[in-house]
């Protein structure tokens, strides 16, 4: 089985990529992921807030030494020498590159253009093979409309693109009112890949502490259908590579996103639950499934069930809503699609 695929212009041995998580941030677990067959790994993100905060600290430091201007040049701190979170992150990129030979994708998380974007270049210089820009935003300000927010994000994509020469992927959330249009504009702004989707962690309320508390719940395969639909819709409409993230737990999940048009299937929750070696299990399942169905390579199946290649593309669109609702039956409380999945082979 030829699993080879191309993502962001990088040639990968398989379409299975470890997305950003604590597992990719430590050289030991990163090495285990690579040994289990991960074709590439995305490192944990460094956040705009961390970089902005560090820059402010650096400014304060520079100001406190400015009185001694005569000698200032001798002890003005070199930004690289300041032991900040930004520096620690660059060291993480260097350590990852020393630990594995697979492509290492560094990750920046932010939503507004600014001086912090300079860090993208430092990540490239630290050895990153590509950069993933995560546009994680909660559009909570009633004064900022969709057009303004999107324009700001596109400006950021263009600024990061201009700062680096390595490939750039952009990780998006699913909450845009015209997602296909925004995706096409991110592509035009210089993204070499789109990573669909960010998983938004919803806060909870603690009634004892009267506090808003974070609640991180790992995904299940049920969540695959959101990226699956949008990869199917976007396939053929963007020049950028497509990566699926959220809900890839099994070889079957990976096969589905490839059929819809993804170049790679990224996974995190499955690896956090079962350990880095689970990646080899997913690969074995994928190979078995493709062989059973007579495929010789990943290239052969990619996109064959995308929106544009289906006999009835309405299944990806509004008509799917009507079909889903009418598929409900009180006598058979599972839809036909679900029943097919639950059926034993030979039923
Ligand atoms: C503990 C944890 C840490 C994560 N850290 C990052 C991160 O630093 N940057 C990022 O872009 N995504 C991060 N993610 C999101 C994952 O990369 C992935 O997109 C998400 O978990 C959905 O994929 P999954 O369903 O396979 O888990 C993190 C997820 C988890 C569970």
């Amino acid at each position: 089985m030829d699993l080879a695929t191309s993502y962001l212009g990088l040639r990968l041995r398989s379409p299975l990529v470890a997305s950003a998580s604590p597992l990719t941030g430590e050289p030991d677990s990163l090495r285990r992921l690579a040994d289990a067959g991960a074709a590439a790994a995305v490192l944990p993100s460094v956040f705009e807030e961390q970089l902005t905060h560090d820059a402010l600290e650096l400014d304060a430091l520079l100001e406190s030494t400015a009185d001694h201007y005569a000698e200032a040049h001798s002890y003005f701190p070199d930004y690289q020498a300041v032991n900040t979170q930004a520096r620690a992150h660059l060291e993480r990129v260097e350590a990852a590159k020393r630990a594995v030979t697979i492509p290492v994708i560094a990750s920046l998380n932010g939503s507004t253009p600014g001086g912090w974007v300079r860090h993208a270049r430092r990540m490239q210089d630290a050895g990153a093979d590509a950069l993933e820009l995560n546009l994680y935003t909660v559009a909570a300000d009633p004064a900022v409309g969709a057009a303004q927010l999107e324009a700001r994000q596109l400006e950021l994509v263009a600024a990061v693109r201009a700062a680096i020469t390595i490939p750039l992927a952009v990780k998006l959330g699913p909450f845009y009112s015209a997602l296909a249009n925004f995706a096409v504009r991110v592509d035009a702004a210089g993204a070499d890949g789109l990573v669909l989707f960010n998983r938004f962690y919803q806060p909870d309320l603690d009634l004892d502490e009267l506090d808003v508390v974070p609640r991180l719940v790992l995904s299940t395969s049920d969540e695959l259908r959101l990226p699956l639909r949008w990869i199917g819709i976007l396939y053929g409409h963007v020049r950028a590579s497509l990566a699926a993230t959220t809900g890839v737990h099994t070889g079957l999940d990976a096969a589905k996103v490839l059929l819809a048009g993804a170049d790679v299937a990224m996974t995190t929750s499955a690896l956090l639950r079962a350990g880095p070696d689970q990646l080899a299990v997913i690969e074995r399942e994928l190979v078995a499934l493709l062989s059973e169905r007579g495929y010789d390579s990943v290239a052969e199946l990619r996109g064959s069930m995308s929106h544009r290649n289906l006999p009835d593309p309405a299944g990806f669109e509004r008509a799917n809503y009507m079909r889903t609702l009418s598929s409900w039956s009180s006598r058979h409380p599972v839809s036909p699609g679900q029943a097919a999945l639950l059926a034993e082979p030979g039923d």
Side-chain angles (χ1 to χ4, degrees), residues 19-20 22 44-45 134 171 201 216 218-219 245-247 267-269 272:
S19 43
S45 308
N134 186 333
K171 189 169 182 178
Y201 301 103
L216 197 160
L218 297 177
S219 74
T245 175
T246 294
T267 182
T268 281
S269 289
L272 287 173

Side-chain angles (χ1 to χ4, degrees), residues 18-24 42-47 92 107-109 132-134 136 171 195 197-199 201 216-220 223 244-249 266-272:
S19 43
S21 83
L23 286 176
T24 60
V42 186
L43 302 188
S45 308
V46 62
F47 292 83
R92 181 181 268 174
S107 168
L108 261 186
N109 186 316
E132 188 174 284
L133 170 65
N134 186 333
Y136 191 111
K171 189 169 182 178
V195 184
F197 288 113
N198 254 323
R199 197 158 167 261
Y201 301 103
L216 197 160
V217 180
L218 297 177
S219 74
T220 67
E223 291 180 46
T245 175
T246 294
V248 177
H249 286 251
M266 295 186 167
T267 182
T268 281
S269 289
L271 306 175
L272 287 173

Side-chain angles (χ1 to χ4, degrees), residues 81-259:
V82 180
N83 190 18
T84 59
Q85 298 183 67
R87 180 69 210 145
H89 195 273
L90 295 177
E91 282 165 5
R92 181 181 268 174
V93 176
E94 289 163 359
K97 283 299 291 177
R98 280 194 300 273
V100 293
T101 54
I102 56 173
V104 166
I105 303 171
S107 168
L108 261 186
N109 186 316
S111 61
T112 48
W116 67 278
V117 165
R118 280 193 299 272
H119 197 71
R121 181 66 194 207
R122 297 188 190 109
M123 288 164 136
Q124 171 174 326
D125 294 342
D129 296 288
L131 187 76
E132 188 174 284
L133 170 65
N134 186 333
L135 294 177
Y136 191 111
T137 309
V138 177
D141 183 348
V144 178
Q148 194 182 342
L149 192 139
E150 289 176 12
R152 198 192 281 163
Q153 293 194 343
L154 291 169
E155 203 185 314
L156 173 58
V157 172
V160 175
R161 175 67 285 166
I164 56 174
T165 54
I166 52 176
L168 172 66
V170 177
K171 189 169 182 178
L172 298 177
F175 304 125
Y176 291 88
S177 42
L179 180 61
N181 174 267
F182 185 64
V184 166
R185 288 189 292 147
V186 172
D187 184 40
D192 301 295
L194 299 176
V195 184
L196 310 174
F197 288 113
N198 254 323
R199 197 158 167 261
F200 282 81
Y201 301 103
Q202 318 296 351
D204 205 349
L205 295 184
D206 181 330
L207 297 194
D208 294 326
E209 300 293 328
L210 291 182
D211 200 4
V212 179
V213 287
R215 185 169 294 251
L216 197 160
V217 180
L218 297 177
S219 74
T220 67
S221 290
D222 273 342
E223 291 180 46
L224 184 77
R225 281 170 287 153
L226 186 61
L228 185 67
R229 162 183 269 175
W230 283 101
I231 282 171
I233 289 175
L234 291 175
Y235 177 78
H237 290 289
V238 287
R239 181 195 47 86
S241 310
L242 295 171
T245 175
T246 294
V248 177
H249 286 251
T250 63
L252 174 63
D253 297 333
K256 286 181 184 173
V257 294
L258 296 168
L259 282 160

